[in-house]
Amino acid sequence: MRPVGSDRIAGFGTSIFTEITALAVKHEAVNLGQGFPDFAAPDFVKQAAARHIRDDRNQYAASPGVPRLRAALADDWRRLYPHARAVDPASEITVGSGATEMLHDAVMATINPGDEVIVFEPAYDAYAPDVAMAGGVVRAVPLAPPDWRFDPERLAAAFGPRTRALILNTPHNPTGKVFARAELEVIADLCRRHDALVISDEVYSEILFDGAAHVPIATLPEMFERTITIGSMGKTFSVTGWKVGWTIAPAPLTAAVRAVHQFVTFTNSAPFQEALADVLPAAADNGYYPQLRADYARRRDLLARVLRGAGLEPLPIGGAYFLLTDIARLGYTSDADFCRKLVTEIGVAAIPTSVFYARPDSAPPVARFCFAKKDETILAAAPRLAKLRR
Ligand SMILES: Cc1ncc(COP(=O)(O)O)c(C=O)c1O
């Protein structure tokens, strides 16, 4: 019998998140691996969804997204970036099934077979498979610890006649790096010179620390017209299971994204889209965002204390909800071995960051711990991690 899978998916395998989660369940580990909150979602968010389900907003939504939601997203863009170009909700916003679908749609909509796509490594695990499904080729440019800067010359050298796009992620998973405006200007300048698009994954845009500012690359001069900005409600409102994501892009790019979206999912859940339309203006009014950042700063500090107690010094971060630690200090050379031992013997799940590299052996030995967790969850890891010292 012929292999059942297409050539396109050869090598995709099972994601490390699935493997570590299964090990965490089997060994009853404290799960600081996968990036989702284990605390309750905010009441005003849950009530909005319940209301729209009760009010029977339960049939197919318009394919590009519920009009009220697209209007609310355009308003939010104006509120957050008042000096940037305004966004037209009718022709420049598309809503789909989480950032995951929107990344896939954006790549399929713009990448031809043989096109090159630049990504910074470590890279979120969906980017390379999306590019592979489109027949494109990834060109990786490293971010170097501890501050995860890129070498501008190395980035410039990655651009060539086949470069079609660059995938950016800021705030960055897994490193917590928030790209500074000066870094974005270097990227933007190269993209303009080489006529390359930017697919900018900004799902952690609201989770920022110590005064770090999130700058969408689309707000830089002449960048809106070549950028697809991707957002998601999952991280911002602690509802990763709702899967509402969106793209903001100029009309021609939006038309291309919608051409894919209509045949991938056509539309996503109507009541959750209606809910987000209520939640966005409410959150801007009720002090939700400063509270979100204060809560995450507290959880970050708590996890940092727990890690330090185990001899694991966390690297500094500007955003997102992960802390990374160099595990070479504990004598490990492979972060995958460390994380397998951690989950099976110590009883704590973390993610080896080498899985965010095309060539895992080129990665620094660093483990990722998620602090989108209740205080009790983080504290439950403390006595277990302390065993590492022995
Ligand atoms: C960088 C990044 N992009 C995209 C996603 C997926 O977002 P969504 O749940 O909205 O599909 C995640 C989720 O972990 C992420 O970390």
Side-chain angles (χ1 to χ4, degrees):
M1 193 174 135
R2 281 188 287 174
V4 289
S6 68
D7 297 345
R8 195 176 297 115
I9 61 165
F12 281 9
T14 308
S15 96
I16 188 74
F17 303 102
T18 310
E19 183 194 338
I20 295 282
T21 302
L23 284 174
V25 172
K26 183 167 169 209
H27 294 273
E28 295 181 1
V30 177
N31 196 347
L32 304 182
Q34 209 180 354
F36 65 88
D38 74 345
F39 43 82
D43 260 341
F44 78 104
V45 175
K46 290 190 286 200
Q47 279 167 14
R51 196 165 54 242
H52 288 293
I53 290 171
R54 263 198 315 269
D55 288 353
D56 256 321
R57 300 278 182 272
N58 295 317
Q59 307 308 327
Y60 292 131
S63 178
V66 164
R68 279 179 67 239
L69 172 55
R70 284 183 279 138
L73 286 163
D75 287 348
D76 225 42
W77 179 269
R78 197 173 307 116
R79 173 181 69 81
L80 288 163
Y81 316 115
H83 303 298
R85 172 193 180 290
V87 175
D88 172 23
S91 64
E92 296 180 331
I93 298 180
T94 309
V95 182
S97 187
T100 307
E101 187 210 325
M102 304 328 285
L103 278 161
H104 180 75
D105 295 354
V107 170
M108 291 307 252
T110 56
I111 304 305
N112 276 316
D115 282 352
E116 290 183 2
V117 180
I118 296 173
V119 302
F120 290 106
E121 268 194 340
Y124 181 61
D125 66 342
Y127 304 156
D130 279 337
V131 172
M133 281 188 272
V137 178
V138 167
R139 299 262 291 180
V141 174
L143 298 172
D147 52 5
W148 307 102
R149 284 182 183 279
F150 62 87
D151 174 354
E153 282 176 22
R154 228 163 140 175
L155 179 62
F159 280 81
R162 306 237 46 171
T163 306
R164 177 65 179 132
L166 177 146
I167 302 181
L168 178 69
N169 174 211
T170 182
H172 185 260
N173 176 8
T175 66
K177 174 188 176 70
V178 175
F179 282 71
R181 182 179 292 272
E183 293 177 299
L184 296 174
E185 276 165 2
V186 171
I187 297 166
D189 182 49
L190 285 163
C191 289
R192 282 188 297 255
R193 269 201 275 148
H194 293 271
D195 192 18
L197 302 171
V198 179
I199 297 171
S200 188
D201 175 349
E202 303 182 7
V203 301
Y204 296 101
S205 60
E206 296 297 341
I207 303 175
L208 300 164
F209 304 104
D210 306 328
H214 170 66
V215 181
I217 195 165
T219 63
L220 268 50
E222 293 167 55
M223 286 307 288
F224 189 88
E225 61 223 54
R226 58 176 67 255
T227 302
I228 301 174
T229 303
I230 296 177
S232 169
M233 140 170 243
K235 319 290 174 182
T236 304
F237 295 106
S238 308
V239 285
T240 57
W242 285 21
K243 299 299 288 186
V244 182
W246 58 88
T247 55
I248 294 179
L253 278 174
T254 291
V257 168
R258 288 180 182 177
V260 180
H261 166 68
Q262 68 184 327
F263 296 121
V264 172
T265 58
F266 179 63
T267 181
N268 89 322
S269 58
F272 294 128
Q273 291 195 47
E274 293 282 1
L276 181 57
D278 293 346
V279 159
L280 286 172
D285 285 344
N286 69 11
Y288 176 74
Y289 296 108
Q291 188 60 49
L292 175 78
R293 289 192 264 274
D295 288 345
Y296 269 123
R298 188 180 43 73
R299 293 186 191 108
R300 175 200 59 174
D301 294 346
L302 186 60
L303 177 61
R305 223 172 51 229
V306 165
L307 291 173
R308 283 194 188 106
L312 294 165
E313 183 59 31
L315 300 176
I317 59 168
Y321 49 46
F322 307 103
L323 283 177
L324 302 189
T325 65
D326 185 340
I327 45 99
R329 295 162 55 130
L330 293 179
Y332 289 87
T333 48
S334 156
D335 57 357
D337 289 349
F338 172 80
C339 289
R340 280 198 189 93
K341 180 176 162 152
L342 196 69
V343 69
T344 57
E345 293 176 28
I346 304 286
V348 176
I351 298 292
T353 55
S354 56
V355 301
F356 296 84
Y357 290 77
R359 285 188 33 238
D361 59 349
S362 69
V366 170
R368 189 196 80 175
F369 293 83
C370 175
F371 58 86
K373 304 295 169 194
K374 292 183 230 165
D375 290 6
E376 339 42 307
T377 309
I378 297 173
L379 289 169
R384 297 177 178 217
L385 287 171
K387 285 188 260 168
L388 283 169
R389 276 202 178 277
R390 279 176 244 138

